[in-house]
Amino acid sequence: FYYLLGLAPSPLGRLDFLYIEPDDVTGFYLIDAVIAGDWETWFAALKQLILPAITLALFTLAPIARMTRAAMLSALSSDFIRTARAAGLSDHKVTYGYAFRNALLPIITTLGMVFSFSLGANVLVENPGSDSKSTSISHTLYVLKENPVTLIAFALFGFYVLSAIFGQYLVPFDPLASDSENVLQPPNLKHWFGTDALGRDVFSRVISATRLDLLIAVSAVAISFVVGSILGSAAGYWGGKLDIILS
């Protein structure tokens, strides 16, 4: 797009070398350029985002479109939609005022999952274009430095993994030990998350359970990948009823 077609700006980072970075207020060039009133820099920063944004959008388009279609079909076949149409409401009011609003819950849930995937994919999509950051480790560190949201997401994931590995050795209480004198305590300095109905420290139980949660999550992804790949391959190769069921 840049070298052959000339449709994209030079891939030299967040700004072309012809422009000066705006004063660092929020760390986001688009917002900082607006604060500084530098619309030329704002437009240059926007052009640098177009191709990465389109790349990530293509990745997220399919699940959101399929979920929106399924949720809308389910909502449009509901009794309250037939009642609204029988009452004489316009198609626009029925579709967007009633059906779409009721279909938003699964769509928003899908958006949350897609957003988390996009944060990880952003590390692969963005390329600073500098030889000093050419290795995978230095490039990852560069992206984390330039993207505070991605850095926070990676920090939380790292904390979760460390809790799963070392959590049971660091918790202040035995997660299985009950204490009848401290039943259903609210969060306090001694019990950060309070206690349950048996007097067990909730914080210790949450940290200790991360290992099991992580194992379950990894197992679920592995099983879904293996089974999904086998079924998808079989449906694509043989077709027939299996393909109809899966689709």
Side-chain angles (χ1 to χ4, degrees):
F1 288 95
Y2 164 69
Y3 181 73
L4 295 178
L5 301 179
L7 299 177
S10 56
L12 297 177
R14 300 173 65 188
L15 272 179
D16 197 293
F17 67 93
L18 298 176
Y19 300 91
I20 301 176
E21 298 180 2
D23 295 334
D24 190 2
V25 179
T26 64
F28 297 95
Y29 284 179
L30 291 178
I31 300 177
D32 292 344
V34 171
I35 295 175
D38 189 351
W39 296 104
E40 187 175 1
T41 301
W42 181 88
F43 186 71
L46 178 64
K47 290 193 295 184
Q48 297 292 127
L49 292 176
I50 292 177
L51 278 182
I54 292 177
T55 303
L56 291 175
L58 291 176
F59 167 74
T60 60
L61 179 62
I64 294 177
R66 289 184 63 87
M67 180 56 67
T68 304
R69 175 183 178 275
M72 284 296 294
L73 288 176
S74 177
L76 288 172
S77 62
S78 302
D79 293 337
F80 70 92
I81 294 296
R82 287 193 291 268
T83 304
R85 286 174 172 166
L89 297 179
S90 64
D91 289 339
H92 183 274
K93 180 67 175 179
V94 171
T95 303
Y96 297 101
Y98 292 93
F100 184 70
R101 290 173 59 184
N102 284 273
L104 278 179
L105 182 59
I107 297 173
I108 294 175
T109 304
T110 304
L111 283 175
M113 295 186 294
V114 167
F115 179 71
S116 64
F117 291 142
S118 298
L119 289 178
N122 185 43
V123 178
L124 301 176
V125 169
E126 184 174 339
N127 185 357
S130 173
D131 292 337
S132 62
K133 304 180 184 68
S134 58
T135 64
S136 59
I137 297 178
S138 60
H139 171 53
T140 302
L141 295 176
Y142 172 83
V143 173
L144 294 178
K145 178 182 177 181
E146 296 294 323
N147 295 270
V149 177
T150 306
L151 177 60
I152 294 173
F154 269 74
L156 291 175
F157 178 75
F159 173 77
Y160 188 83
V161 173
L162 291 176
S163 298
I165 299 174
F166 304 107
Q168 62 178 355
Y169 306 107
L170 302 176
V171 292
F173 298 95
D174 185 350
L176 300 178
S178 59
D179 185 0
S180 59
E181 296 181 357
N182 293 292
V183 175
L184 298 177
Q185 291 290 318
N188 51 61
L189 294 179
K190 184 178 180 181
H191 302 282
W192 291 0
F193 289 0
T195 60
D196 61 8
L198 298 178
R200 298 173 298 189
D201 184 63
V202 176
F203 175 76
S204 300
R205 292 178 61 79
V206 169
I207 297 299
S208 299
T210 53
R211 175 176 296 184
L212 178 61
D213 295 339
L214 185 62
L215 179 61
I216 293 174
V218 172
S219 301
V221 172
I223 292 173
S224 62
F225 174 76
V226 173
V227 176
S229 299
I230 294 174
L231 291 178
S233 301
Y237 184 78
W238 283 295
K241 293 183 179 180
L242 180 60
D243 185 40
I244 295 176
I245 294 174
L246 293 180
S247 61

PDB file of all heavy atoms in Angstrom, residues 148-171:
ATOM      1  N   PRO A 148      -0.569   2.284  26.290  1.00  0.00           N
ATOM      2  CA  PRO A 148      -0.814   2.053  27.722  1.00  0.00           C
ATOM      3  C   PRO A 148      -1.894   1.008  27.985  1.00  0.00           C
ATOM      4  O   PRO A 148      -1.776   0.228  28.934  1.00  0.00           O
ATOM      5  CB  PRO A 148      -1.248   3.446  28.224  1.00  0.00           C
ATOM      6  CG  PRO A 148      -0.721   4.418  27.207  1.00  0.00           C
ATOM      7  CD  PRO A 148      -0.742   3.693  25.914  1.00  0.00           C
ATOM      8  N   VAL A 149      -2.948   0.964  27.152  1.00  0.00           N
ATOM      9  CA  VAL A 149      -4.020  -0.001  27.377  1.00  0.00           C
ATOM     10  C   VAL A 149      -3.506  -1.424  27.189  1.00  0.00           C
ATOM     11  O   VAL A 149      -3.812  -2.329  27.979  1.00  0.00           O
ATOM     12  CB  VAL A 149      -5.199   0.285  26.428  1.00  0.00           C
ATOM     13  CG1 VAL A 149      -6.296  -0.753  26.610  1.00  0.00           C
ATOM     14  CG2 VAL A 149      -5.764   1.680  26.680  1.00  0.00           C
ATOM     15  N   THR A 150      -2.702  -1.642  26.152  1.00  0.00           N
ATOM     16  CA  THR A 150      -2.116  -2.955  25.932  1.00  0.00           C
ATOM     17  C   THR A 150      -1.177  -3.334  27.069  1.00  0.00           C
ATOM     18  O   THR A 150      -1.143  -4.491  27.503  1.00  0.00           O
ATOM     19  CB  THR A 150      -1.347  -2.975  24.599  1.00  0.00           C
ATOM     20  OG1 THR A 150      -2.213  -2.528  23.546  1.00  0.00           O
ATOM     21  CG2 THR A 150      -0.844  -4.367  24.277  1.00  0.00           C
ATOM     22  N   LEU A 151      -0.423  -2.366  27.571  1.00  0.00           N
ATOM     23  CA  LEU A 151       0.471  -2.620  28.700  1.00  0.00           C
ATOM     24  C   LEU A 151      -0.309  -3.058  29.930  1.00  0.00           C
ATOM     25  O   LEU A 151       0.087  -4.006  30.634  1.00  0.00           O
ATOM     26  CB  LEU A 151       1.286  -1.369  29.005  1.00  0.00           C
ATOM     27  CG  LEU A 151       2.227  -1.449  30.203  1.00  0.00           C
ATOM     28  CD1 LEU A 151       3.260  -2.546  30.006  1.00  0.00           C
ATOM     29  CD2 LEU A 151       2.907  -0.102  30.429  1.00  0.00           C
ATOM     30  N   ILE A 152      -1.426  -2.391  30.206  1.00  0.00           N
ATOM     31  CA  ILE A 152      -2.254  -2.760  31.357  1.00  0.00           C
ATOM     32  C   ILE A 152      -2.813  -4.172  31.178  1.00  0.00           C
ATOM     33  O   ILE A 152      -2.828  -4.974  32.122  1.00  0.00           O
ATOM     34  CB  ILE A 152      -3.388  -1.735  31.542  1.00  0.00           C
ATOM     35  CG1 ILE A 152      -2.807  -0.378  31.933  1.00  0.00           C
ATOM     36  CG2 ILE A 152      -4.380  -2.200  32.606  1.00  0.00           C
ATOM     37  CD1 ILE A 152      -3.835   0.731  31.982  1.00  0.00           C
ATOM     38  N   ALA A 153      -3.269  -4.487  29.961  1.00  0.00           N
ATOM     39  CA  ALA A 153      -3.812  -5.821  29.707  1.00  0.00           C
ATOM     40  C   ALA A 153      -2.745  -6.899  29.908  1.00  0.00           C
ATOM     41  O   ALA A 153      -3.011  -7.941  30.515  1.00  0.00           O
ATOM     42  CB  ALA A 153      -4.379  -5.885  28.287  1.00  0.00           C
ATOM     43  N   PHE A 154      -1.524  -6.656  29.415  1.00  0.00           N
ATOM     44  CA  PHE A 154      -0.449  -7.625  29.597  1.00  0.00           C
ATOM     45  C   PHE A 154      -0.053  -7.735  31.061  1.00  0.00           C
ATOM     46  O   PHE A 154       0.273  -8.826  31.543  1.00  0.00           O
ATOM     47  CB  PHE A 154       0.765  -7.228  28.749  1.00  0.00           C
ATOM     48  CG  PHE A 154       0.772  -7.828  27.387  1.00  0.00           C
ATOM     49  CD1 PHE A 154      -0.092  -7.354  26.407  1.00  0.00           C
ATOM     50  CD2 PHE A 154       1.623  -8.866  27.066  1.00  0.00           C
ATOM     51  CE1 PHE A 154      -0.101  -7.905  25.137  1.00  0.00           C
ATOM     52  CE2 PHE A 154       1.621  -9.433  25.801  1.00  0.00           C
ATOM     53  CZ  PHE A 154       0.761  -8.943  24.836  1.00  0.00           C
ATOM     54  N   ALA A 155      -0.061  -6.606  31.791  1.00  0.00           N
ATOM     55  CA  ALA A 155       0.272  -6.646  33.214  1.00  0.00           C
ATOM     56  C   ALA A 155      -0.746  -7.473  33.990  1.00  0.00           C
ATOM     57  O   ALA A 155      -0.379  -8.278  34.859  1.00  0.00           O
ATOM     58  CB  ALA A 155       0.348  -5.223  33.766  1.00  0.00           C
ATOM     59  N   LEU A 156      -2.030  -7.292  33.682  1.00  0.00           N
ATOM     60  CA  LEU A 156      -3.065  -8.074  34.355  1.00  0.00           C
ATOM     61  C   LEU A 156      -2.938  -9.560  34.024  1.00  0.00           C
ATOM     62  O   LEU A 156      -3.102 -10.415  34.900  1.00  0.00           O
ATOM     63  CB  LEU A 156      -4.448  -7.558  33.949  1.00  0.00           C
ATOM     64  CG  LEU A 156      -4.831  -6.165  34.465  1.00  0.00           C
ATOM     65  CD1 LEU A 156      -6.177  -5.729  33.895  1.00  0.00           C
ATOM     66  CD2 LEU A 156      -4.863  -6.137  35.987  1.00  0.00           C
ATOM     67  N   PHE A 157      -2.632  -9.858  32.754  1.00  0.00           N
ATOM     68  CA  PHE A 157      -2.453 -11.261  32.377  1.00  0.00           C
ATOM     69  C   PHE A 157      -1.239 -11.867  33.079  1.00  0.00           C
ATOM     70  O   PHE A 157      -1.287 -13.000  33.563  1.00  0.00           O
ATOM     71  CB  PHE A 157      -2.296 -11.377  30.862  1.00  0.00           C
ATOM     72  CG  PHE A 157      -2.068 -12.780  30.381  1.00  0.00           C
ATOM     73  CD1 PHE A 157      -3.122 -13.687  30.349  1.00  0.00           C
ATOM     74  CD2 PHE A 157      -0.817 -13.196  29.966  1.00  0.00           C
ATOM     75  CE1 PHE A 157      -2.916 -14.991  29.915  1.00  0.00           C
ATOM     76  CE2 PHE A 157      -0.608 -14.492  29.530  1.00  0.00           C
ATOM     77  CZ  PHE A 157      -1.661 -15.392  29.499  1.00  0.00           C
ATOM     78  N   GLY A 158      -0.140 -11.090  33.153  1.00  0.00           N
ATOM     79  CA  GLY A 158       1.041 -11.574  33.860  1.00  0.00           C
ATOM     80  C   GLY A 158       0.768 -11.806  35.334  1.00  0.00           C
ATOM     81  O   GLY A 158       1.232 -12.798  35.920  1.00  0.00           O
ATOM     82  N   PHE A 159       0.010 -10.888  35.948  1.00  0.00           N
ATOM     83  CA  PHE A 159      -0.363 -11.065  37.355  1.00  0.00           C
ATOM     84  C   PHE A 159      -1.201 -12.317  37.533  1.00  0.00           C
ATOM     85  O   PHE A 159      -1.035 -13.057  38.520  1.00  0.00           O
ATOM     86  CB  PHE A 159      -1.121  -9.832  37.846  1.00  0.00           C
ATOM     87  CG  PHE A 159      -1.701  -9.980  39.228  1.00  0.00           C
ATOM     88  CD1 PHE A 159      -0.892  -9.885  40.344  1.00  0.00           C
ATOM     89  CD2 PHE A 159      -3.062 -10.219  39.403  1.00  0.00           C
ATOM     90  CE1 PHE A 159      -1.420 -10.029  41.615  1.00  0.00           C
ATOM     91  CE2 PHE A 159      -3.593 -10.362  40.668  1.00  0.00           C
ATOM     92  CZ  PHE A 159      -2.763 -10.273  41.784  1.00  0.00           C
ATOM     93  N   TYR A 160      -2.104 -12.572  36.605  1.00  0.00           N
ATOM     94  CA  TYR A 160      -2.957 -13.761  36.687  1.00  0.00           C
ATOM     95  C   TYR A 160      -2.117 -15.027  36.586  1.00  0.00           C
ATOM     96  O   TYR A 160      -2.317 -15.977  37.355  1.00  0.00           O
ATOM     97  CB  TYR A 160      -3.996 -13.709  35.574  1.00  0.00           C
ATOM     98  CG  TYR A 160      -5.056 -14.775  35.666  1.00  0.00           C
ATOM     99  CD1 TYR A 160      -6.161 -14.607  36.481  1.00  0.00           C
ATOM    100  CD2 TYR A 160      -4.948 -15.955  34.942  1.00  0.00           C
ATOM    101  CE1 TYR A 160      -7.140 -15.585  36.578  1.00  0.00           C
ATOM    102  CE2 TYR A 160      -5.909 -16.948  35.033  1.00  0.00           C
ATOM    103  CZ  TYR A 160      -7.008 -16.751  35.856  1.00  0.00           C
ATOM    104  OH  TYR A 160      -7.955 -17.728  35.962  1.00  0.00           O
ATOM    105  N   VAL A 161      -1.159 -15.055  35.668  1.00  0.00           N
ATOM    106  CA  VAL A 161      -0.323 -16.248  35.505  1.00  0.00           C
ATOM    107  C   VAL A 161       0.561 -16.454  36.738  1.00  0.00           C
ATOM    108  O   VAL A 161       0.713 -17.581  37.233  1.00  0.00           O
ATOM    109  CB  VAL A 161       0.531 -16.123  34.231  1.00  0.00           C
ATOM    110  CG1 VAL A 161       1.533 -17.269  34.129  1.00  0.00           C
ATOM    111  CG2 VAL A 161      -0.355 -16.107  32.992  1.00  0.00           C
ATOM    112  N   LEU A 162       1.149 -15.373  37.246  1.00  0.00           N
ATOM    113  CA  LEU A 162       1.987 -15.488  38.434  1.00  0.00           C
ATOM    114  C   LEU A 162       1.171 -15.941  39.644  1.00  0.00           C
ATOM    115  O   LEU A 162       1.661 -16.713  40.483  1.00  0.00           O
ATOM    116  CB  LEU A 162       2.671 -14.149  38.722  1.00  0.00           C
ATOM    117  CG  LEU A 162       3.743 -13.720  37.720  1.00  0.00           C
ATOM    118  CD1 LEU A 162       4.274 -12.341  38.076  1.00  0.00           C
ATOM    119  CD2 LEU A 162       4.883 -14.729  37.667  1.00  0.00           C
ATOM    120  N   SER A 163      -0.063 -15.455  39.731  1.00  0.00           N
ATOM    121  CA  SER A 163      -0.935 -15.893  40.828  1.00  0.00           C
ATOM    122  C   SER A 163      -1.236 -17.376  40.719  1.00  0.00           C
ATOM    123  O   SER A 163      -1.322 -18.085  41.729  1.00  0.00           O
ATOM    124  CB  SER A 163      -2.240 -15.089  40.814  1.00  0.00           C
ATOM    125  OG  SER A 163      -1.996 -13.712  41.015  1.00  0.00           O
ATOM    126  N   ALA A 164      -1.409 -17.856  39.486  1.00  0.00           N
ATOM    127  CA  ALA A 164      -1.672 -19.280  39.301  1.00  0.00           C
ATOM    128  C   ALA A 164      -0.474 -20.134  39.677  1.00  0.00           C
ATOM    129  O   ALA A 164      -0.627 -21.239  40.194  1.00  0.00           O
ATOM    130  CB  ALA A 164      -2.071 -19.541  37.847  1.00  0.00           C
ATOM    131  N   ILE A 165       0.735 -19.619  39.452  1.00  0.00           N
ATOM    132  CA  ILE A 165       1.938 -20.409  39.724  1.00  0.00           C
ATOM    133  C   ILE A 165       2.345 -20.338  41.197  1.00  0.00           C
ATOM    134  O   ILE A 165       2.611 -21.356  41.834  1.00  0.00           O
ATOM    135  CB  ILE A 165       3.102 -19.928  38.827  1.00  0.00           C
ATOM    136  CG1 ILE A 165       2.735 -20.123  37.347  1.00  0.00           C
ATOM    137  CG2 ILE A 165       4.387 -20.677  39.168  1.00  0.00           C
ATOM    138  CD1 ILE A 165       3.755 -19.550  36.399  1.00  0.00           C
ATOM    139  N   PHE A 166       2.382 -19.110  41.753  1.00  0.00           N
ATOM    140  CA  PHE A 166       2.920 -18.920  43.094  1.00  0.00           C
ATOM    141  C   PHE A 166       1.867 -18.513  44.118  1.00  0.00           C
ATOM    142  O   PHE A 166       2.207 -18.306  45.282  1.00  0.00           O
ATOM    143  CB  PHE A 166       4.013 -17.847  43.073  1.00  0.00           C
ATOM    144  CG  PHE A 166       5.134 -18.127  42.121  1.00  0.00           C
ATOM    145  CD1 PHE A 166       5.248 -17.407  40.940  1.00  0.00           C
ATOM    146  CD2 PHE A 166       6.064 -19.112  42.394  1.00  0.00           C
ATOM    147  CE1 PHE A 166       6.289 -17.654  40.061  1.00  0.00           C
ATOM    148  CE2 PHE A 166       7.103 -19.379  41.515  1.00  0.00           C
ATOM    149  CZ  PHE A 166       7.215 -18.652  40.348  1.00  0.00           C
ATOM    150  N   GLY A 167       0.598 -18.395  43.699  1.00  0.00           N
ATOM    151  CA  GLY A 167      -0.420 -17.855  44.586  1.00  0.00           C
ATOM    152  C   GLY A 167      -0.616 -18.630  45.867  1.00  0.00           C
ATOM    153  O   GLY A 167      -0.746 -18.051  46.947  1.00  0.00           O
ATOM    154  N   GLN A 168      -0.608 -19.940  45.781  1.00  0.00           N
ATOM    155  CA  GLN A 168      -0.882 -20.750  46.965  1.00  0.00           C
ATOM    156  C   GLN A 168       0.221 -20.645  48.018  1.00  0.00           C
ATOM    157  O   GLN A 168       0.011 -20.998  49.178  1.00  0.00           O
ATOM    158  CB  GLN A 168      -1.073 -22.199  46.561  1.00  0.00           C
ATOM    159  CG  GLN A 168       0.129 -22.847  45.918  1.00  0.00           C
ATOM    160  CD  GLN A 168      -0.114 -24.304  45.586  1.00  0.00           C
ATOM    161  OE1 GLN A 168      -1.159 -24.859  45.915  1.00  0.00           O
ATOM    162  NE2 GLN A 168       0.831 -24.934  44.901  1.00  0.00           N
ATOM    163  N   TYR A 169       1.421 -20.160  47.611  1.00  0.00           N
ATOM    164  CA  TYR A 169       2.509 -19.976  48.570  1.00  0.00           C
ATOM    165  C   TYR A 169       2.524 -18.569  49.169  1.00  0.00           C
ATOM    166  O   TYR A 169       3.264 -18.326  50.131  1.00  0.00           O
ATOM    167  CB  TYR A 169       3.860 -20.240  47.893  1.00  0.00           C
ATOM    168  CG  TYR A 169       3.939 -21.583  47.216  1.00  0.00           C
ATOM    169  CD1 TYR A 169       3.917 -21.682  45.825  1.00  0.00           C
ATOM    170  CD2 TYR A 169       4.010 -22.762  47.959  1.00  0.00           C
ATOM    171  CE1 TYR A 169       3.979 -22.923  45.197  1.00  0.00           C
ATOM    172  CE2 TYR A 169       4.076 -23.998  47.340  1.00  0.00           C
ATOM    173  CZ  TYR A 169       4.062 -24.064  45.961  1.00  0.00           C
ATOM    174  OH  TYR A 169       4.116 -25.294  45.332  1.00  0.00           O
ATOM    175  N   LEU A 170       1.736 -17.649  48.616  1.00  0.00           N
ATOM    176  CA  LEU A 170       1.774 -16.258  49.047  1.00  0.00           C
ATOM    177  C   LEU A 170       0.524 -15.812  49.790  1.00  0.00           C
ATOM    178  O   LEU A 170       0.513 -14.736  50.373  1.00  0.00           O
ATOM    179  CB  LEU A 170       1.972 -15.340  47.824  1.00  0.00           C
ATOM    180  CG  LEU A 170       3.233 -15.606  46.979  1.00  0.00           C
ATOM    181  CD1 LEU A 170       3.234 -14.690  45.760  1.00  0.00           C
ATOM    182  CD2 LEU A 170       4.492 -15.386  47.808  1.00  0.00           C
ATOM    183  N   VAL A 171      -0.536 -16.617  49.762  1.00  0.00           N
ATOM    184  CA  VAL A 171      -1.791 -16.201  50.387  1.00  0.00           C
ATOM    185  C   VAL A 171      -1.629 -16.125  51.898  1.00  0.00           C
ATOM    186  O   VAL A 171      -0.881 -16.922  52.501  1.00  0.00           O
ATOM    187  CB  VAL A 171      -2.931 -17.170  50.019  1.00  0.00           C
ATOM    188  CG1 VAL A 171      -3.250 -17.057  48.547  1.00  0.00           C
ATOM    189  CG2 VAL A 171      -2.559 -18.610  50.377  1.00  0.00           C
TER     190      VAL A 171
END
